[in-house]
Amino acid sequence: MTSSPDTEFISILGPSERDGAETRFSTRALPDTLPILGLSDVVFFPSMVAPLLVEAAGSIKLIDDVVGGDRLIGVALQRNPNTDDPGPEEMHGVGCAARVLKMLKFPDNTVRVLVEGLWRVRIKDYTATKPYLRAKFELLRDISEDAVEETALLRNAQSLFQDIIKLSPALSEQVKASALNTEEPGQFADLAAINLNLALDDRQALLETVSIRQRLQRLLPLMNQENQVLVLSSKIQSEVATNISKTQRDFFLREQMRAIQRELGEGDHAAGEIRSLREKVQAAKLSAEARKVAEHEVERLSQIQPGVPDYSLTRNYIDWILALPWETATEDKLDLDEAERILNEQHFGLSKVKERLLEFLAVIKRRKQLKGPILCLVGPPGVGKTSLGRSVADALGRKFGRIALGGMRDEAEIRGHRRTYVGALPGRIIQTLRRLESRNPVILLDELDKVGADFRGDPAAALLEVLDPEQNNTFTDHYLDLPFDLSRVLFLTTANWLEPVHPALRDRLEVIELPSYTETEKLEIAKRHLIPRQLEEHGLSRKDVRYPDAALRRLITGYTREAGVRQLDREIAALTRKVTRRLVGNGKVRRPLTLSANSVAELLGPVRFHSETAEKIKEIGIATGLVWTPVGGEVVFIEATRMPGKGNLLLTGLLGDVMKESAQTALSYLRSQGAALGLESSDHARFDIHIHVPAGAVPKDGPSAGVTITAALASLLTGRRVRSDLAMTGEVSLRGRVLRVGGVKEKVLAAARFGLKELLLPDTNSPDWQEVPAEVRKKLKVHFIRHISQLLPLALEKR
């Protein structure tokens, strides 16, 4: 194997030198055969001069014999560059007749020779293979076809080559001079092929092309490609040089600034900043581990230049460590009488909820620590869950922070991002502690049931550690990468309902249910809290306007229908705005302006909500039921009808599987009791029954509508209407038993809001009736039933 040791030594003879070479070597004096030297990584062209490294024993023997004779050899590219002793089949068919100019032998048994290319040759027949290849050959002369076209191609090639020369400072002056003085198209094509950075296959193809026109046509695209590569490389080098120059310039300017500051006695700003950080670390109240990390980061910061991006990242990290309240806490005010006063002052009603919160505070006062259950306030929107958390903080004398979990889908919102990410920050827990500057605040995790999950993780899983009193004393945020003690933080959570909450997370919570407000409670809340706040926001006082109870009751019953008081607050705000306009626009209005029930309708428009029981049930197959929703109890009407068919049951109204099964159970029970109801068995197969629950766009599910469905079907099959003033709830079994259901308190409050008079409840729910406020119990008459046989006489009108 023979290779080129250093391509930088490749050169090309000028025109005069080439003419001299041709004069010294006449083609008529050439021998019939030439020894063939295989080349592994270089293609020789006529007029090319380059050194070769010869290593194989056979090739060294060839050089020795040639140098002792006429110094003429044939050189050709090997097909396989890794072969040390190539055979005839491994050699390309076109090569170059060449002359050995110099030879040097080295102690490592290698030979270096300087070789000059003379003519293109085609290798015809190999006459010998040992000790080296020898072959007959045929000279290949350049073929000129169209002088005009060749001249045009030559000029294009020369122009491109000049551009390449400008972008290639490595090309020697000899090459540049030869390019300017070469007028022969064929010679110029060989010159360009020798000095361009081309692949071996492209060089070999150019060597084998004897037509000058075709050689130039093949060469031009390669030159274009090389020119584009050089232009892009030059641009990249220029940009890199510019960046390096700017960095060096900034470095020198900073060094000069430091020198000037030292001369003026002002000192180094960066050094002063490091000293200030060291003093802050020493003075800060940190945990042992946090202090160790902070000191290490300050030392690391002192080794970083201020202009380096890592400087600001490290500085921000140190600032976060120093800003956290590792040992800073507020002193608890564990006065239960004062706590009770604050709760009663800020919230009306909710006696059982307040009682449980006071018990919780009493345990804290007794044990002097918080390792207890995490309270979860569950109830409809607008009943005061969030404000209760603030009241607890006020009662304890602690700082209060709220973290909204609604729509949160990224675990990093809780645990933070690792510092390897650009723009990384700690999680919301650590951020809240820094903002409150206390290690023992009250933190309210609002809307726990609205937490989502996606490919970024599940925030609920991260909350498992936060809300576990046995684990949160070593909570580790990804950004800080330091354990922080959360055991002294009082966590409260809120939710509208518990079904979407992660089961493992739900297991860590003690649930306190907040019921819907009654009409009386809403009235008192409006008088004590909502009206004073709206008057203040609108620049009014009680001397300007008065809200009698009758007007407020009209507002509550006619313009709102909700479990909480948010809509009531909005309606009071709307009423106050209109009153403000009257007072401002008409100075003759007598003050205070007293609003009556009729004036409410004048200002806010017609009543929006009417009692749905005002219109009596006039048809068979309709029953009034009670359902629970995350926003409170609701009244629904279940409708049933039948038509000629084949005994099928049709269910509509976007019902869930459980509700569909309840309907099937109710129908099966009634069919099994056909004799007692006076139904003929032949009727079942001749009619289809259709059950529909209005508000078809709202999904509905659950077993508690079983009793209502049974009553609607019994009304349909017996031809007796269901009583209009009666509502019911309960699950039905296949044997006709009425089973316990949930949400009774919310359902009863909804029945009272709708103006119903009597209720049918499962007998096993009788303890829940005692949880209903006394004023609501006085408005309603309740019947507790155990079996469907008790339901029908109470629910159906008499014939």
Side-chain angles (χ1 to χ4, degrees):
M1 180 174 65
T2 304
S3 60
S4 175
D6 195 340
T7 56
E8 292 183 359
F9 291 107
I10 294 177
S11 63
I12 186 165
L13 295 178
S16 60
E17 295 172 299
R18 179 174 171 83
D19 293 341
E22 291 178 350
T23 302
R24 290 190 298 272
F25 284 93
S26 172
T27 56
R28 290 176 293 179
L30 287 173
D32 295 334
T33 63
L34 284 175
I36 304 300
L37 180 64
L39 305 178
S40 62
D41 60 355
V42 63
V43 176
F44 253 85
F45 286 85
S47 303
M48 175 178 169
V49 178
L52 298 176
L53 176 63
V54 183
E55 298 176 303
S59 299
I60 294 175
K61 170 66 174 170
L62 182 154
I63 296 300
D64 288 338
D65 293 346
V66 166
V67 171
D70 57 10
R71 292 179 173 256
L72 294 178
I73 61 172
V75 290
L77 183 66
Q78 300 173 192
R79 299 185 186 276
N80 183 2
N82 298 320
T83 303
D84 291 335
D85 189 13
E89 68 282 354
E90 294 178 293
M91 303 294 292
H92 280 279
V94 176
C96 186
R99 177 179 62 168
V100 178
L101 300 178
K102 292 181 181 180
M103 180 186 74
L104 289 176
K105 290 190 175 182
F106 290 86
D108 59 353
N109 295 325
T110 61
V111 174
R112 295 197 179 192
V113 292
L114 187 64
V115 179
E116 173 194 355
L118 299 177
W119 303 280
R120 281 178 173 79
V121 295
R122 185 187 305 279
I123 299 173
K124 298 174 65 177
D125 298 317
Y126 284 90
T127 59
T129 58
K130 296 295 181 180
Y132 46 79
L133 297 176
R134 181 175 285 274
K136 293 181 180 181
F137 62 93
E138 173 189 358
L139 285 176
L140 298 176
R141 301 185 183 276
D142 289 348
I143 300 175
S144 179
E145 299 171 344
D146 187 339
V148 175
E149 184 178 359
E150 290 173 359
T151 302
L153 291 170
L154 173 64
R155 291 179 181 177
N156 283 337
Q158 286 176 329
S159 177
L160 270 175
F161 197 66
Q162 291 301 319
D163 293 339
I164 292 173
I165 288 175
K166 293 176 183 177
L167 297 171
S168 301
L171 292 178
S172 65
E173 292 297 327
Q174 180 185 359
V175 173
K176 298 177 182 178
S178 299
L180 291 173
N181 296 311
T182 302
E183 298 296 335
E184 291 294 329
Q187 293 181 21
F188 184 84
D190 291 344
L191 171 67
I194 293 168
N195 291 281
L196 290 179
N197 187 18
L198 303 180
L200 289 177
D201 292 341
D202 293 331
R203 291 176 184 267
Q204 182 64 30
L206 290 171
L207 180 67
E208 295 176 359
T209 305
V210 294
S211 170
I212 296 175
R213 179 178 59 81
Q214 294 179 6
R215 194 185 310 164
L216 287 170
Q217 289 175 341
R218 187 187 296 268
L219 180 66
L220 281 173
L222 299 175
M223 295 179 72
N224 267 318
Q225 180 180 355
E226 180 68 13
N227 186 48
Q228 292 174 5
V229 171
L230 289 173
V231 168
L232 184 58
S233 298
S234 177
K235 179 181 178 182
I236 294 173
Q237 289 176 358
S238 175
E239 291 175 354
V240 172
T242 301
N243 291 336
I244 293 175
S245 300
K246 183 179 183 303
T247 303
Q248 293 173 342
R249 174 177 173 275
D250 293 346
F251 174 77
F252 289 132
L253 288 176
R254 289 193 188 95
E255 291 298 321
Q256 291 175 1
M257 189 182 298
R258 292 192 184 98
I260 293 171
Q261 288 174 340
R262 284 194 295 269
E263 290 296 328
L264 294 175
E266 295 178 355
D268 188 352
H269 173 71
E273 189 175 27
I274 297 299
R275 285 195 300 272
S276 175
L277 285 175
R278 286 197 178 101
E279 293 172 359
K280 289 180 180 179
V281 171
Q282 293 301 321
K285 296 179 179 179
L286 306 176
S287 66
E289 188 171 354
R291 184 177 301 280
K292 180 179 178 181
V293 171
E295 291 173 350
H296 172 75
E297 291 297 323
V298 171
E299 291 301 322
R300 180 171 172 268
L301 186 68
S302 65
Q303 307 299 322
I304 303 175
Q305 293 293 333
V308 178
D310 275 356
Y311 186 90
S312 61
L313 297 177
T314 305
R315 175 59 196 270
N316 289 338
Y317 179 58
I318 296 173
D319 288 342
W320 270 103
I321 293 178
L322 295 177
L324 287 177
W326 298 91
E327 301 295 337
T328 305
T330 56
E331 185 176 354
D332 289 339
K333 297 187 304 182
L334 296 175
D335 186 341
L336 295 184
D337 294 335
E338 177 67 12
E340 185 175 6
R341 185 193 66 78
I342 291 175
L343 289 174
N344 288 331
E345 180 183 296
Q346 297 182 358
H347 294 84
F348 180 81
L350 305 176
S351 56
K352 288 188 175 295
V353 177
K354 294 175 184 176
E355 182 181 353
R356 179 62 187 90
L357 289 174
L358 290 172
E359 292 171 358
F360 184 73
L361 298 179
V363 173
I364 295 176
K365 181 178 181 179
R366 185 68 179 174
R367 295 188 59 192
K368 305 295 183 182
Q369 59 180 348
L370 289 178
K371 285 194 175 181
I374 305 296
L375 300 184
C376 180
L377 307 177
V378 179
V383 296
K385 299 184 294 296
T386 304
S387 58
L388 269 173
R390 187 178 297 275
S391 299
V392 170
D394 293 341
L396 284 172
R398 294 189 177 191
K399 295 182 178 181
F400 176 76
R402 172 181 170 271
I403 299 177
L405 302 180
M408 186 179 292
R409 294 179 176 275
D410 189 356
E411 180 195 5
E413 291 282 346
I414 302 297
R415 287 190 173 276
H417 297 83
R418 300 189 186 278
R419 297 199 306 278
T420 52
Y421 295 107
V422 176
L425 284 173
R428 301 280 292 278
I429 302 293
I430 297 298
Q431 290 184 38
T432 302
L433 290 173
R434 177 183 179 178
R435 176 170 53 83
L436 297 177
E437 299 179 346
S438 172
R439 63 176 294 191
N440 66 337
V442 175
I443 294 182
L444 181 74
L445 302 176
D446 210 4
E447 307 293 353
L448 185 63
D449 54 330
K450 308 300 189 301
V451 174
D454 61 11
F455 64 94
R456 293 169 292 184
D458 186 357
L463 287 172
L464 292 176
E465 180 184 2
V466 174
L467 299 180
D468 191 337
E470 300 298 329
Q471 301 180 29
N472 61 9
N473 60 333
T474 57
F475 172 73
T476 303
D477 186 274
H478 288 158
Y479 180 85
L480 287 180
D481 201 22
L482 287 170
F484 192 94
D485 186 5
L486 298 180
S487 62
R488 298 186 64 182
V489 178
L490 175 56
F491 287 104
L492 299 175
T493 64
T494 71
N496 293 130
W497 63 318
L498 289 176
E499 187 65 28
V501 179
H502 193 287
L505 186 57
R506 193 162 55 216
D507 185 59
R508 287 164 166 78
L509 305 175
E510 178 177 339
V511 177
I512 300 178
E513 294 188 358
L514 277 71
S516 302
Y517 288 124
T518 65
E519 182 180 328
T520 302
E521 288 174 334
K522 290 181 181 180
L523 179 64
E524 290 297 325
I525 291 171
K527 292 163 63 176
R528 297 186 184 190
H529 303 286
L530 304 184
I531 291 176
R533 184 171 73 240
Q534 292 299 334
L535 290 177
E536 181 181 354
E537 290 180 358
H538 290 80
L540 302 177
S541 67
R542 294 189 181 274
K543 296 179 180 180
D544 298 312
V545 60
R546 290 181 180 176
Y547 294 86
D549 289 357
L552 290 176
R553 289 187 185 276
R554 173 65 62 86
L555 199 62
I556 292 169
T557 58
Y559 294 85
T560 66
R561 182 157 291 173
E562 58 178 341
V565 292
R566 283 183 182 159
Q567 182 62 30
L568 178 60
D569 189 30
R570 286 191 287 267
E571 295 299 334
I572 292 175
L575 200 59
T576 308
R577 285 195 303 271
K578 295 182 181 297
V579 170
T580 304
R581 182 181 176 186
R582 284 194 177 185
L583 294 174
V584 173
N586 187 356
K588 297 181 180 180
V589 175
R590 185 177 178 180
R591 305 189 184 195
L593 178 61
T594 301
L595 298 177
S596 64
N598 294 330
S599 61
V600 171
E602 293 175 4
L603 294 172
L604 296 182
V607 173
R608 300 192 187 109
F609 299 99
H610 299 273
S611 175
E612 297 189 22
T613 58
E615 183 178 347
K616 293 189 62 174
I617 296 177
K618 298 179 181 180
E619 300 178 9
I620 62 173
I622 302 176
T624 307
L626 299 173
V627 296
W628 178 92
T629 71
V631 296
E634 291 289 343
V635 173
V636 298
F637 294 91
I638 294 180
E639 304 170 349
T641 187
R642 65 176 180 174
M643 66 211 82
K646 299 181 179 180
N648 297 323
L649 176 63
L650 305 178
L651 301 170
T652 57
L654 202 58
L655 309 183
D657 291 338
V658 176
M659 198 167 183
K660 290 178 181 179
E661 292 174 358
S662 296
Q664 185 63 60
T665 302
L667 181 60
S668 297
Y669 172 77
L670 292 176
R671 283 182 173 175
S672 67
Q673 301 297 318
L677 294 174
L679 301 175
E680 297 182 3
S681 59
S682 59
D683 289 343
H684 305 321
R686 294 190 294 110
F687 293 97
D688 287 343
I689 292 179
H690 185 178
I691 297 175
H692 176 69
V693 183
V698 180
K700 309 168 191 71
D701 203 1
S704 63
V707 167
T708 313
I709 295 173
T710 304
L713 289 174
S715 171
L716 176 69
L717 298 176
T718 61
R720 296 162 60 188
R721 288 193 301 260
V722 178
R723 291 171 54 189
S724 301
D725 60 347
L726 178 73
M728 59 201 77
T729 183
E731 181 180 355
V732 174
S733 73
L734 199 57
R735 295 179 294 167
R737 294 174 56 208
V738 179
L739 306 179
R740 179 185 177 86
V741 293
V744 170
K745 187 174 182 180
E746 299 295 334
K747 295 175 182 179
V748 172
L749 292 174
R753 287 199 305 270
F754 274 77
L756 296 166
K757 301 301 182 184
E758 295 188 29
L759 295 178
L760 293 178
L761 297 178
D763 183 67
T764 50
N765 282 113
S766 56
D768 297 318
W769 175 252
Q770 303 304 320
E771 300 291 330
V772 178
E775 62 171 294
V776 176
R777 296 203 303 268
K778 291 178 181 178
K779 294 180 181 180
L780 298 169
K781 181 179 180 181
V782 63
H783 304 277
F784 295 104
I785 58 175
R786 296 183 179 182
H787 198 270
I788 294 298
S789 60
Q790 298 173 280
L791 164 70
L792 300 184
L794 293 170
L796 301 180
E797 293 182 351
K798 297 181 179 179
R799 295 183 184 275

